[in-house]
Amino acid sequence: MNVLITGEVAELVGEPLAVGEQLPHFKLEDENGDKVKTADLVGRITLISVVPDLNTDTCSLQTRHFNQTVDQFGDVQFITVSTNSVEEQRDWCAAEGVKNMRVLSDEQESFGYATNLYLPVQGFDTRAVYIVDAQGTVKYAQIIPEVSEEPDYDDALLALKTLMS
């Protein structure tokens, strides 16, 4: 599959994870550098916001938007995944006041390859939003066609509310 980066075609490593599929096995790192595996995310409904680089405007907007939404969904786990290093993520969260959601590093590209969201030529994961149920099944997938644009927040949050009801 291809996406656009400011109008230029960029190729993903494969066909992205789709609705109905199980969350694949991957490893991420949390703010302490500890490993977070797929199994650690299963058991609760989870919204996964994937951004290429927290230090860019659109990625910052997306992460801050979901961070402000977390409180409306008490039983839902919100995470942001980016290919930034743990240190970059920690610095960004401190500067932006992001405390409500987990920000996890895919610097090792495990998540990007497992979900086929990785853009090998660019060296980062493409922008996406996933919602998975407590069993780890993908219930919602939004792959943003133009990486420089924000996701459709309303659509994602409506899907989340529907899943919770």
Side-chain angles (χ1 to χ4, degrees):
M1 177 176 176
N2 295 330
V3 294
L4 299 175
I5 300 176
T6 57
E8 298 293 321
V9 175
E11 187 173 354
L12 298 169
V13 292
E15 195 60 35
L17 192 61
V19 172
E21 294 181 345
Q22 285 297 116
L23 207 53
H25 294 284
F26 54 79
K27 291 178 187 169
L28 298 162
E29 286 184 84
D30 69 12
E31 68 277 1
N32 300 315
D34 294 330
K35 298 288 182 212
V36 177
K37 301 176 197 165
T38 307
D40 299 324
L41 301 179
V42 177
R44 292 175 65 190
I45 295 173
T46 303
L47 183 141
I48 304 170
S49 171
V50 185
V51 299
D53 182 351
L54 284 172
N55 295 311
T56 61
D57 291 342
T58 307
C59 296
S60 287
L61 286 169
Q62 181 174 335
T63 305
R64 285 193 314 264
H65 184 89
F66 283 123
N67 182 65
Q68 294 166 353
T69 309
V70 172
D71 293 339
Q72 298 172 28
F73 299 92
D75 293 337
V76 177
Q77 177 174 219
F78 279 70
I79 65 169
T80 288
V81 173
S82 79
T83 48
N84 296 90
S85 70
V86 169
E87 294 79 19
E88 288 175 314
Q89 289 181 339
R90 200 173 26 236
D91 292 347
W92 183 89
C93 287
E96 296 292 332
V98 170
K99 297 176 181 150
N100 294 338
M101 67 186 309
R102 292 178 80 185
V103 179
L104 302 174
S105 175
D106 190 30
E107 188 176 21
Q108 303 303 314
E109 304 158 2
S110 172
F111 177 87
Y113 274 104
T115 59
N116 290 324
L117 294 176
Y118 190 67
L119 293 160
V121 172
Q122 290 73 21
F124 54 74
D125 298 340
T126 196
R127 186 176 314 285
V129 178
Y130 282 105
I131 299 172
V132 296
D133 66 13
Q135 291 73 44
T137 303
V138 175
K139 295 298 186 178
Y140 176 87
Q142 183 184 156
I143 311 304
I144 314 323
E146 170 56 70
V147 177
S148 63
E149 295 178 2
E150 292 177 79
D152 183 337
Y153 301 113
D154 292 339
D155 190 57
L157 295 175
L158 178 62
L160 185 56
K161 287 176 186 170
T162 302
L163 180 60
M164 293 177 66
S165 58

